[in-house]
Amino acid sequence: MGTAALGCPVERSSTGFFAIATKLIHYAGAPGHPQAKMIQSVRSKEITLASSTNIAKIAVAKISKQKNAKQKITHNTFETTTAGKKTAGKKTVKKKTVKKTTGLRYWMQRVLEECDHVSTDFSADPVHDLRVSLRRCRSMADGLIAIDPDPDWKAMKKAGKRLFQKLGDLRDLQVMMEWIEKLHPAEHVARALLPVLSLSDQNSGPIENLEAKDGRTESQSQFQFSTNTQPHSPRDPAAQALREILTRREAEQKREARAALGEFDRKQWRQWTKSLPQRAAHIRPGSGVFKHLALERWTAARDLHNRALRNRSKVAFHTLRIGIKRFRYIVENFLPEEHKAWSNDLKAVQDLLGEVHDLDVLWATALISQIFSTETFSPEISPGESFRDEIFSKEQTLSGTELRERWHRQIAEERAQRIESYRKKMVGPDSLWNVWRAGLPQGRQIQALATQRMKLWAKALDPDFAHSEHVARLALELYDGLAAQRLLGRPAGSRPDLPTGPRMGRRRNPADGSDARASLLMAALLHDVGKSKGNKGHHKASLELIKAHSTPLGWNAQDMQRAAIVARFHGGALPTRSHKALRDLLPDEQKMTIHLAAILRLANAFDSSHDGHIRRLQIENGQGEGSRIGSGKPGGEARRPRRTNGFLQKPAAALAKNEALIIAAEGYTPGSPTAQTIAAERHLLETVLGRPVMIRAMQGLAQKR
């Protein structure tokens, strides 16, 4: 046959038959078209296809279903409500309201809905939808745990973990079967279409004469089709073998997924849909805290991107896909403005990497399943075919090695195309990485937002966080004053050519490296988080909670660990170098940590009554400008010494060897309970400084200043 009646060359390959099937469906919907008469004739004769045509029917149904689905609006996007009833002379008023399709409450409710949908037959689409809903809930919980330490977040993640994993195993099989149909369509789809196509004049006759020729038997029609058509490529028994293997595995995975669904506690989940969204609502969507969280996800994903392009391994690209997905979910659910601008690009990139992973899994499964035989065989003839089919088809053979190479080449080409598309979007000065980064926090905003995030976390655990904030301000005032008097020495971990205090004129940025002042700030803000476990031994609980918390972007991990130890010694026993929390540190690090613990301990004593009546502290020794350096602000710096006639004014001379350190406190009352607590807690600072410490009320002149 030179040209088919449909106006296109007819090939024996499966891909060609799918194209023909699509054309037939299209023509069937056009009553005036000549090809429509052929379809009507076939229908009028009630031609039924053989049992091997089931896949053809499924393919036709899928195409028709997709065509009709485009005309529908799902209930998840819009819902129509009637605002009135029909009355005489009045029309029904319809109002369209937009239903929210983002946020934690929506996705948690969606999980319950999809559980009902998937329980019927665990088909591909419901399984995919349920996994997406579970993944989004777990991803949002993972992000909110960094802000809200409520244990229900971790419990919610754990509740859906087993179901999510079992559905993931099932979904992997279903995706592989979809890819096999795409790369190696089932050969018996071609035979399913033969009874229909053979009714046409396959040489040059018009389709209008089909009714006069349709008296031919099915065997005659197949004979004429096969003798006039050369096969495009040999049939692939490896694809059929893998289909059968995956079909058996799918049945097993469906049973396991059904068992996991039965164990899933929907009643508890329904309770969480009421409580957890309320906790998440405490932070306004689009706030700087969520932008900082998104930047953290962006940074992690960008590191995975660099690693994937460097080693190009399958695991690296799969991990990169997960990283971008986590970044996408934070943007989609918590940053509405950014999601509006970036949603299409984020989804496109995720889909590209998802298909790369699907192809990698398909190839690995094909190798493990040993579907490539080393023997030579005739793939054109399957055991179920008759001798009549054998004599009408041209025998073609492929060895197992050739078949394996063909699969590998085809999968590698598909994979390379998607990797190249990803590189075009994500590499270069105009890459999407730079576009996304430009819309996220910059510079000093990063550290400020990191501090704000940790404050939110501490506030959820600390029953009196206002006290902790006040102690943090007093502790920084003490630190800056002592640093101005050069009583602290060089901070551990700082560079010799970058001195602190008035000699430098400004302090290093805490985010640039290990910094004692940053550690003191963290320890002061977080020192009472252990009270969430109870007042008794809360300083030890604070140590464990801070150590277990991840380091937010903008803070230094070494500073975070030091802060945990400093918070441990804000109360309880005095620190010693042999203590298990200190014994593994280097000598300089031990010394600085104990210094910071002494400052925090005394600052905490100044507000032992938790009423904030001691409002400000300063070092009173000497009258030079250097004796009052220090703002006490979390991000503040020591004030620069004042210049006189163009020359830098010298700071006050260092204290004599045995001179007492005088601390003036605004609001201090000698003999009060607070004064007694201060007298007891100043001992550690006196020990580390090697000099007595005196506390007195701030004078009127100092108060005025």
Side-chain angles (χ1 to χ4, degrees):
M1 179 181 74
T3 304
L6 295 178
C8 62
V10 177
E11 299 175 348
R12 184 74 180 268
S13 67
S14 303
T15 305
F17 285 115
F18 272 114
I20 294 172
T22 305
K23 285 183 175 290
L24 289 174
I25 295 167
H26 174 70
Y27 294 145
H33 199 281
Q35 279 81 347
K37 297 182 178 180
M38 179 186 73
I39 305 298
Q40 294 172 358
S41 174
V42 172
R43 289 173 178 171
S44 63
K45 299 293 183 180
E46 296 183 356
I47 298 177
T48 58
L49 303 180
S51 60
S52 62
T53 65
N54 290 335
I55 291 185
K57 293 180 180 180
I58 295 173
V60 171
K62 275 189 174 181
I63 298 171
S64 178
K65 183 179 179 181
Q66 292 174 357
K67 185 176 179 181
N68 295 332
K70 294 179 180 179
Q71 303 174 358
K72 296 181 180 180
I73 301 176
T74 61
H75 69 278
N76 293 329
T77 306
F78 298 98
E79 59 178 358
T80 304
T81 58
T82 303
K85 297 181 179 180
K86 287 187 177 181
T87 56
K90 293 185 179 180
K91 296 182 179 179
T92 302
V93 179
K94 291 186 178 181
K95 180 181 178 182
K96 290 184 178 180
T97 59
V98 179
K99 186 176 181 180
K100 188 176 181 181
T101 58
T102 58
L104 182 62
R105 186 183 303 276
Y106 168 79
W107 287 111
M108 292 192 72
Q109 291 175 345
R110 181 76 180 269
V111 167
L112 298 174
E113 295 174 3
E114 295 301 336
C115 283
D116 296 333
H117 296 162
V118 79
S119 60
T120 56
D121 59 352
F122 286 86
S123 56
D125 289 342
V127 168
H128 172 69
D129 294 340
L130 179 53
R131 287 195 77 242
V132 168
S133 302
L134 282 170
R135 186 191 295 114
R136 297 203 180 203
C137 293
R138 288 165 52 82
S139 179
M140 284 187 279
D142 188 45
L144 289 167
I145 284 174
I147 302 171
D148 181 9
D150 189 276
D152 282 350
W153 293 115
K154 186 177 291 186
M156 185 262 277
K157 285 185 62 181
K158 185 177 181 180
K161 183 177 181 180
R162 184 173 185 273
L163 177 59
F164 181 77
Q165 290 176 340
K166 292 302 179 183
L167 290 174
D169 296 338
L170 174 59
R171 180 60 183 158
D172 287 343
L173 294 175
Q174 293 172 339
V175 169
M176 281 190 286
M177 295 173 72
E178 292 172 2
W179 272 103
I180 293 173
E181 290 300 326
K182 181 178 180 181
L183 299 177
H184 306 280
E187 290 79 10
H188 49 283
V189 173
R191 295 196 178 276
L193 297 176
L194 286 178
V196 177
L197 297 177
S198 61
L199 296 177
S200 63
D201 187 353
Q202 300 187 26
N203 292 321
S204 58
I207 295 181
E208 287 80 2
N209 296 330
L210 279 174
E211 297 181 5
K213 299 181 180 181
D214 58 6
R216 290 173 290 186
T217 63
E218 181 178 348
S219 60
Q220 292 173 340
S221 301
Q222 291 177 350
F223 171 77
Q224 184 169 353
F225 182 87
S226 60
T227 54
N228 288 283
T229 304
Q230 295 298 327
H232 178 67
S233 61
R235 284 172 27 195
D236 195 332
Q240 181 61 26
L242 188 56
R243 282 192 197 95
E244 295 174 357
I245 293 173
L246 295 180
T247 301
R248 291 193 296 270
R249 291 183 184 177
E250 183 186 20
E252 297 175 3
Q253 291 297 336
K254 283 185 176 181
R255 286 194 294 270
E256 295 184 9
R258 188 177 297 279
L261 182 62
E263 297 173 2
F264 181 63
D265 192 347
R266 302 191 201 184
K267 182 178 180 180
Q268 177 63 63
W269 190 273
R270 192 171 288 106
Q271 293 177 358
W272 284 331
T273 59
K274 301 176 182 178
S275 60
L276 291 180
Q278 291 179 353
R279 299 192 67 88
H282 293 162
I283 309 173
R284 176 179 53 84
S287 67
V289 173
F290 286 131
K291 290 183 179 180
H292 184 271
L293 186 60
L295 178 59
E296 212 170 59
R297 296 286 191 267
W298 179 94
T299 303
R302 181 60 186 269
D303 291 342
L304 295 174
H305 162 85
N306 294 334
R307 185 185 307 171
L309 295 188
R310 186 169 55 250
N311 58 33
R312 301 184 180 183
S313 68
K314 299 176 182 178
V315 175
F317 277 105
H318 176 54
T319 309
L320 170 60
R321 170 175 170 256
I322 294 175
I324 292 179
K325 186 182 296 184
R326 296 182 70 193
F327 170 64
R328 176 193 172 194
Y329 287 165
I330 294 297
V331 172
E332 180 175 359
N333 292 289
F334 301 123
L335 301 176
E337 293 298 326
E338 287 75 9
H339 175 250
K340 184 177 180 181
W342 303 343
S343 59
N344 293 335
D345 291 331
L346 282 168
K347 188 177 186 306
V349 170
Q350 182 182 322
D351 289 345
L352 286 173
L353 294 175
E355 292 178 358
V356 169
H357 174 65
D358 295 341
L359 291 167
D360 290 339
V361 173
L362 176 62
W363 176 242
T365 305
L367 293 179
I368 294 174
S369 302
Q370 299 180 351
I371 60 173
F372 305 114
S373 173
T374 57
E375 300 178 357
T376 302
F377 49 83
S378 175
E380 273 299 310
I381 305 172
S382 62
E385 291 177 335
S386 63
F387 177 77
R388 180 192 60 196
D389 296 326
E390 179 181 352
I391 63 174
F392 295 146
S393 61
K394 180 180 178 180
E395 182 176 311
Q396 300 184 28
T397 60
L398 278 178
S399 68
T401 303
E402 292 173 340
L403 196 60
R404 183 181 185 276
E405 291 177 353
R406 189 176 74 174
W407 269 62
H408 184 266
R409 182 172 59 255
Q410 188 175 12
I411 291 177
E413 288 175 357
E414 296 283 348
R415 187 179 188 274
Q417 290 175 4
R418 286 156 179 82
I419 294 293
E420 183 59 28
S421 298
Y422 172 82
R423 288 178 60 89
K424 289 180 180 179
K425 291 176 176 291
M426 308 301 287
V427 176
D430 298 329
S431 69
L432 291 176
W433 288 118
N434 296 335
V435 174
W436 298 336
R437 181 65 185 87
L440 297 174
Q442 309 285 336
R444 293 187 177 181
Q445 294 179 344
I446 299 174
Q447 186 186 356
L449 290 173
T451 304
Q452 185 178 351
R453 268 182 59 184
M454 293 307 298
K455 283 183 177 181
L456 290 171
W457 178 76
K459 191 175 183 179
L461 295 172
D462 189 347
D464 189 5
F465 186 65
H467 158 75
S468 297
E469 288 187 300
H470 188 61
V471 168
R473 188 167 62 84
L474 297 178
L476 293 184
E477 289 176 346
L478 278 176
Y479 179 90
D480 291 338
L482 294 172
Q485 293 292 338
R486 290 173 287 179
L487 295 175
L488 296 177
R490 180 168 61 86
S494 62
R495 291 167 49 186
D497 57 337
L498 291 176
T500 59
R503 185 176 301 176
M504 179 181 177
R506 67 181 298 272
R507 287 179 15 81
R508 292 185 298 120
N509 188 337
D512 293 339
S514 177
D515 188 272
R517 192 176 190 271
S519 296
L520 179 61
L521 170 61
M522 297 179 204
L525 290 173
L526 308 178
H527 74 277
D528 275 347
V529 294
K531 288 187 176 181
S532 60
K533 307 292 185 181
N535 286 328
K536 185 177 180 180
H538 74 273
H539 53 290
K540 298 178 182 179
S542 295
L543 169 68
E544 299 303 326
L545 287 172
I546 299 171
K547 287 176 63 177
H549 195 284
S550 60
T551 304
L553 185 69
W555 279 14
N556 185 278
Q558 183 180 351
D559 295 344
M560 190 84 168
Q561 293 302 310
R562 185 194 293 150
I565 300 174
V566 173
R568 157 68 179 84
F569 292 109
H570 83 275
L574 297 176
T576 61
R577 292 181 182 271
S578 61
H579 193 279
K580 63 179 181 180
L582 294 167
R583 64 191 176 195
D584 295 332
L585 301 179
L586 295 175
D588 287 346
E589 181 68 21
Q590 281 183 341
K591 181 180 178 180
M592 178 51 62
T593 303
I594 294 174
H595 274 68
L596 297 179
I599 295 173
L600 177 58
R601 204 176 186 99
L602 183 57
N604 189 51
F606 275 110
D607 196 41
S608 59
S609 59
H610 288 230
D611 58 5
H613 71 277
I614 294 182
R615 297 175 290 278
R616 187 160 60 95
L617 302 175
Q618 72 177 26
I619 306 301
E620 281 289 310
N621 293 71
Q623 298 299 321
E625 192 71 24
S627 63
R628 297 187 181 90
I629 292 177
S631 64
K633 296 180 181 179
E637 299 177 355
R639 296 196 306 272
R640 294 190 179 187
R642 188 171 55 188
R643 291 180 177 271
T644 304
N645 297 329
F647 295 95
L648 186 64
Q649 184 179 4
K650 293 182 180 180
L655 298 181
K657 183 176 181 181
N658 297 320
E659 183 180 356
L661 178 70
I662 302 174
I663 301 176
E666 182 180 351
Y668 175 77
T669 303
S672 63
T674 300
Q676 296 176 12
T677 304
I678 293 171
E681 296 295 352
R682 69 187 181 187
H683 169 70
L684 181 59
L685 185 60
E686 291 175 332
T687 303
V688 298
L689 294 180
R691 64 181 68 248
V693 175
M694 296 180 61
I695 312 296
R696 71 183 186 189
M698 190 175 290
Q699 301 298 322
L701 181 60
Q703 293 180 15
K704 185 176 181 181
R705 288 181 180 177

